[in-house]
Amino acid sequence: MIELRFPAPERRCPNLNDTDHWRTANTRKQSWQEAAFYAAMQAKVPTQGPSRLTVALPVTGRNRRDPHNFVLTVKYLVDGLVHARVLPDDSEEWLTTSDPVLVVGGTEVVVTLEPVVLDGAR
């Protein structure tokens, strides 16, 4: 099992309800991808086989939130891991994910990769 912990690159996690201008959205996307990339590179994580990914995201306040709306953040983190060559690809052949866990008052992003045998895995 691999666990990466790193500070969130910004206070608010990207989610599917965002209506940011494309330039702002792209900048946010890039910061989350880079955070995962550099955390993996710093930890010297080798390339993993088929894996199950879980993500815990820090949130502020006790507002009601739908965790599945934060899959956008998960996607950005996964893209950073693929770029760091921790995962060969983000297809279902290599990765399965679940809705992120939202940690009220948290300060760190926690990405966990566990090895699994997926259908169709080689």
Side-chain angles (χ1 to χ4, degrees):
M1 179 174 82
I2 304 290
E3 183 177 273
L4 298 173
R5 293 177 169 268
F6 52 92
E10 60 180 335
R11 188 170 183 207
R12 188 174 62 89
C13 298
N15 70 75
L16 295 175
N17 293 324
D18 288 344
T19 57
D20 295 330
H21 183 274
W22 68 267
R23 186 175 295 153
T24 302
N26 191 54
T27 299
R28 296 183 75 207
K29 170 185 173 182
Q30 197 167 22
S31 68
W32 286 87
Q33 287 176 341
E34 288 176 357
F37 174 85
Y38 288 117
M41 296 302 284
Q42 183 177 18
K44 297 181 180 172
V45 179
T47 301
Q48 303 296 298
S51 301
R52 175 180 298 114
L53 177 117
T54 55
V55 175
L57 298 171
V59 295
T60 57
R62 296 202 176 271
N63 299 354
R64 197 173 126 189
R65 296 175 179 88
D66 298 330
H68 57 271
N69 282 336
F70 292 88
V71 296
L72 187 59
T73 305
V74 174
K75 171 64 175 155
Y76 297 162
L77 296 172
V78 167
D79 288 347
L81 295 176
V82 170
H83 184 67
R85 296 193 171 119
V86 171
L87 297 165
D89 191 33
D90 58 357
S91 67
E92 64 184 15
E93 180 179 355
W94 296 102
L95 187 66
T96 183
T97 63
S98 58
D99 284 344
V101 175
L102 304 179
V103 181
V104 176
T107 58
E108 290 183 312
V109 175
V110 180
V111 176
T112 306
L113 283 168
E114 297 177 78
V116 296
V117 176
L118 299 175
D119 293 339
R122 296 180 181 142

